[in-house]
Every structure is written in C-alpha cells, then in structure tokens.
Amino acid sequence: VSGGGRDGLVKLWSWQYDLFPVDDGENNIINIGAGIRCIACVRTDDGFSLSQFLVGTLENSVCFADAESGVVDTIIQGHYGPVAAVAAHPLDNGTIFTAGHDGWVCAWLDDGSLQWKTRMKVEEDGVPNAVDVRCDAQEIAVGTQAGVILFLDSAGAQVRRVHESQSDITVMKYSPDRRLLAAGMENSMIDVYSLQGTYQLVARCMGHAGMIKELDWSIDSRHIRTTCTKVMVCFWTAASGYPADMEDIKNLEWATQSCSMGWEVQGVWNCIADGASDVEAVSRAHAGDLLAAGDDFGRLHLYRHPPCTGDATSRRYTGHSQSVVAACFSANDTDVYTSGGRDMALIRWEVREADGRTRAKVQEEAAAERARAQMEEAARRLQQVRDAQEGHHDAVDALTVEWSAKGKIASSKLQHEVRPDQLGEQSSAAP
C-alpha cells in the first residue's frame, strides 16, 4: 500500500519479483480527496486487514478507506491551519464556531462532527482571524487579517460584507442588545459598528499602545473594556469612542470576562510562577462561578470566580502542544472549549464537580429537585384550595340547616296563629 502525497491517491500493489497493481476485483487505486501524510492498516481479530486502511491527510483529517467497496469515509475532521478564534453558540449547548487561518469557518457539534463549514475568499477578503455569534444566534461575524468583516447567517451563508479598515482584526464582540459590534485591531484601535440598516462605522476608539488583544461589553451595551499587548486596560464609551468617565464604570457590570487584566482576574497570573510567560485567553462561565484561563505553555487553568487575590489556586490541565489562544464556556457552562492555535486542535473539556459528577449531571439533578419542589408546592396549594372549598361547603350546609330550622319554626307558628275557619273564610272571599 502506498500513498502518493498531494495527489490524494492510495494504491495497492502485489509483491512477487516486482511491484504491479492489484487486479483481483479490488479497487487498486483509491482517491482520498486530499494530500496523504500517513497510512495504517486496520487491525482485525485475524490480524491486519489488507483491504481496509486509515489514512491521515494534509488537511488534518483521518479517513477510513475500504479497497473492496471503494468507499472512503471521513472519521475525524479539523482545520489544517492555526485555529485563531472560538465562539460558543449562545442557545445550543452542543454547538461551537471556529475560524482558522486555512480559510474555513466551521460549526461543530459536541461529538466532534462538523455541522457546516464555509470557505472564505482568502485572496479577496483575507484570512479569518476572529469570530463571534450574536446572542440570538441568527448572525455570525467573522473578522479577517485584511480588515474585512463578513456576516454569515445561522447556516453559514454570507449575507453582508463590511470593509472600513486596512488593519488586521484581532478580536470582535457583539453588544448584549444586538445593536452594535466592536472590532479590535492590530493597529491598536477599536471600531464600533451599528448593526441597524446598512451596518455603518459609528465610532473609533484610539489610545492603546499595542495590538488589541481582548474585549468586553458592559451589560447595558454602553461601555467597552479592552486590553492590548502593551499591558494596558482601557475603558470606552461605545457611542462616541471617547475614554469613559471612571465614575460611570466604577460599579459597572460586564456581560463577559474576556480581559486577562483587571482586579477580578489578577489571580490568573499565578501561572507565571509555574513557567508560563503570558496568559493568552480568559473566559468566565455564564453562571459567574468559574473562570477558565489558558497560558502560553498549552495549559488550561480552572478557577473559582473571581480569582482576585494573588494566592488564588486553580486546577491545571494539559492537552495542547502550543499556546491556548482562545477559550470559551458552552451555553450551559457544562463544557470548556479551547484552541491551541498552531497545533490546529480544538479541545472540548467536560466540567466536573469535586465528587466527579459532571456539571450537566448536577444541572439535571438541580432541575429535577426544582421540579419536585414545584410539584410539592402545587400540591400544597391545591390542598389549601380543597380545604377552603370543604370549609365553604360546611358553612353552606350549616346555613342551610339553620334556615331550614327557622323555616320549620315559622311554619309551626303560622299554623298556631291562623285557624282553619279563617283560612276557609279567606278562601271563600277570593273572587
């Protein structure tokens, strides 16, 4: 068995005194459809199969090939360039979106299968470098290294293109009210776009000294928080692009926690003492109780939020061979997704409690407990209504008995007071 490299063909040969193509009813040439990097025979109970193979491709996928039927099935798919950005579906807990330098924007399911993928026009629009999903999941924004923002629908089809900057877009975020989009760029500026009508640029924030690295919106969609590679944290008024008044942001609540610098996350920098030199990605759980942080050693750290002290401790996990460049929690906080950038890997981490239960199991148990409590409360209220109705019936019965007794007494008095001859006289007097 041989693979020809970029031609994507697997060929079967017979060995006697020379090599010649197999001609015994099998497909001696199998087209994998992508460049071939390695081949392995499938192991069976009788040894290694001579007609079934696993093929690794240059496009970072693993295919199963059957020489007898000629069928080729893709078992594992992936990006074949650095995975630059990751964003979780805001409503569907099992869907994740990625943007890679291979030019593909992909939607993945929690079992690792591909829901859809869209190829960007790299020559015209540039390489995808940032991605975010609107909170209603009806629109996906993709930023490129050419300064282009492409808007896709929920099925991955392009619906709009905006090009207002020539600088690389490094990070993007929709505002919570769905009316604005902020895009941080390599030239240290942040552009704010209105998503009403024609999607126009409405403000530009200038003041950072380095490439924009991270970005957060306030819950009221009026302010933006950003960090840059020169270790600066800045706060902006979204409508004008001017620096925000410190009195306005002093007690402000933020919709996300993606910025790795600030009072709430100062404890994540403890990883420096363990050999790392930088915190590459930070993400807060939607419930606000956990914080995930990735460092440039390829490690994922999980903290109780907020890790606001210098001695904050974390659970540490390894899996990537390169820096963790992006991290995010799933919609229900049951999983954490991380991207290793140049290792081209997207890893799904399952969140577990200290007793080993998954967060999904804990949520199911909590939901069952809430349902049980609601049923008990409903039964209690129903019993109160029944008791009230029974009390009402008892009161009506007592009132009926009382009136019945009064009626009998009145009837008895009438019989004693009116004589029969008077009744006869009254009857005869009637016309």
Side-chain angles (χ1 to χ4, degrees):
V1 182
S2 67
R6 293 189 181 275
D7 63 5
L9 301 178
V10 174
K11 297 184 178 181
L12 278 65
W13 305 84
S14 291
W15 172 264
Q16 289 181 350
Y17 295 103
D18 199 358
L19 291 174
F20 60 92
V22 171
D23 189 16
D24 56 359
E26 293 185 351
N27 295 275
N28 65 304
I29 298 179
I30 307 171
N31 189 355
I32 301 301
I36 297 170
R37 185 175 294 276
C38 57
I39 303 174
C41 295
V42 174
R43 190 181 185 91
T44 65
D45 295 337
D46 299 328
F48 289 101
S49 172
L50 299 179
S51 61
Q52 296 179 339
F53 313 97
L54 294 176
V55 183
T57 74
L58 297 175
E59 294 186 356
N60 201 17
S61 61
V62 177
C63 300
F64 170 81
D66 190 334
E68 293 183 358
S69 62
V71 173
V72 178
D73 291 328
T74 301
I75 301 174
I76 300 175
Q77 300 182 74
H79 286 277
Y80 52 92
V83 184
V86 178
H89 195 293
L91 304 175
D92 185 357
N93 193 56
T95 304
I96 200 80
F97 301 93
T98 58
H101 288 179
D102 55 1
W104 290 99
V105 176
C106 302
W108 306 90
L109 300 178
D110 56 0
D111 60 358
S113 60
L114 188 63
Q115 185 178 26
W116 56 258
K117 64 178 181 179
T118 299
R119 174 75 175 180
M120 300 291 101
K121 299 176 181 178
V122 176
E123 297 78 9
E124 179 181 346
D125 298 329
V127 173
N129 201 47
V131 66
D132 194 37
V133 189
R134 204 169 66 185
C135 61
D136 62 357
Q138 296 302 307
E139 187 177 83
I140 303 158
V142 180
T144 74
Q145 291 184 347
V148 176
I149 301 178
L150 302 171
F151 295 91
L152 313 179
D153 62 17
S154 58
Q158 182 177 325
V159 295
R160 196 180 297 271
R161 181 181 185 271
V162 176
H163 191 190
E164 295 287 350
S165 174
Q166 300 299 322
S167 181
D168 294 7
I169 295 176
T170 56
V171 61
M172 289 192 310
K173 282 284 180 68
Y174 280 97
S175 64
D177 64 3
R178 302 180 295 179
R179 301 177 61 185
L180 300 171
L181 175 74
M185 295 174 290
E186 189 179 30
N187 63 3
S188 75
M189 293 188 293
I190 303 101
D191 284 349
V192 181
Y193 295 87
S194 170
L195 304 183
Q196 309 296 313
T198 58
Y199 285 42
Q200 293 182 342
L201 178 66
V202 296
R204 176 164 285 173
C205 310
M206 296 182 289
H208 274 286
M211 180 186 75
I212 305 303
K213 185 179 177 183
E214 297 143 344
L215 186 152
D216 290 311
W217 278 94
S218 62
I219 282 185
D220 60 8
S221 299
R222 297 175 59 188
H223 296 90
I224 302 170
R225 172 176 62 185
T226 56
T227 65
C228 71
T229 53
K230 296 298 183 180
V231 200
M232 292 177 62
V233 183
C234 295
F235 300 87
W236 312 92
T237 301
S240 64
Y242 292 131
D245 189 337
M246 290 296 103
E247 288 297 322
D248 294 337
I249 65 170
K250 183 170 57 176
N251 297 315
L252 204 57
E253 190 174 356
W254 298 93
T256 58
Q257 178 68 63
S258 301
C259 292
S260 59
M261 289 176 279
W263 177 85
E264 306 97 325
V265 293
Q266 57 183 314
V268 304
W269 292 91
N270 290 341
C271 65
I272 300 294
D274 295 332
S277 60
D278 195 9
V279 177
E280 297 285 348
V282 167
S283 178
R284 184 187 66 199
H286 300 89
D289 58 337
L290 296 176
L291 185 84
D295 63 27
D296 59 354
F297 263 32
R299 299 175 300 193
L300 175 66
H301 303 260
L302 190 64
Y303 295 88
R304 291 292 180 186
H305 185 267
C308 55
T309 60
D311 58 351
T313 59
S314 69
R315 292 185 179 272
R316 188 174 62 190
Y317 309 93
T318 57
H320 289 284
S321 61
Q322 295 287 333
S323 301
V324 178
V325 300
C328 66
F329 279 85
S330 62
N332 292 345
D333 297 335
T334 58
D335 303 291
V336 177
Y337 292 89
T338 57
S339 161
R342 287 183 295 173
D343 70 0
M344 308 178 200
L346 174 68
I347 297 180
R348 171 182 170 237
W349 307 84
E350 192 174 54
V351 179
R352 293 179 177 269
E353 299 296 329
D355 58 6
R357 294 179 301 162
T358 64
R359 174 155 285 203
K361 181 66 174 177
V362 172
Q363 291 177 352
E364 289 177 3
E365 293 175 353
E369 180 63 24
R370 287 194 299 270
R372 185 188 64 79
Q374 290 173 356
M375 291 179 64
E376 290 180 352
E377 178 65 16
R380 186 183 66 80
R381 292 184 178 182
L382 180 60
Q383 187 61 42
Q384 289 178 344
V385 172
R386 287 176 176 173
D387 292 344
Q389 290 177 345
E390 290 178 0
H392 175 71
H393 292 320
D394 292 343
V396 171
D397 292 342
L399 186 61
T400 303
V401 170
E402 182 180 353
W403 279 103
S404 176
K406 290 181 178 180
K408 289 180 180 179
I409 294 172
S411 176
S412 176
K413 287 181 178 180
L414 183 61
Q415 291 175 1
H416 287 291
E417 292 176 0
V418 181
R419 296 192 299 274
D421 55 347
Q422 292 177 340
L423 289 176
E425 291 174 359
Q426 291 177 1
S427 299
S428 62

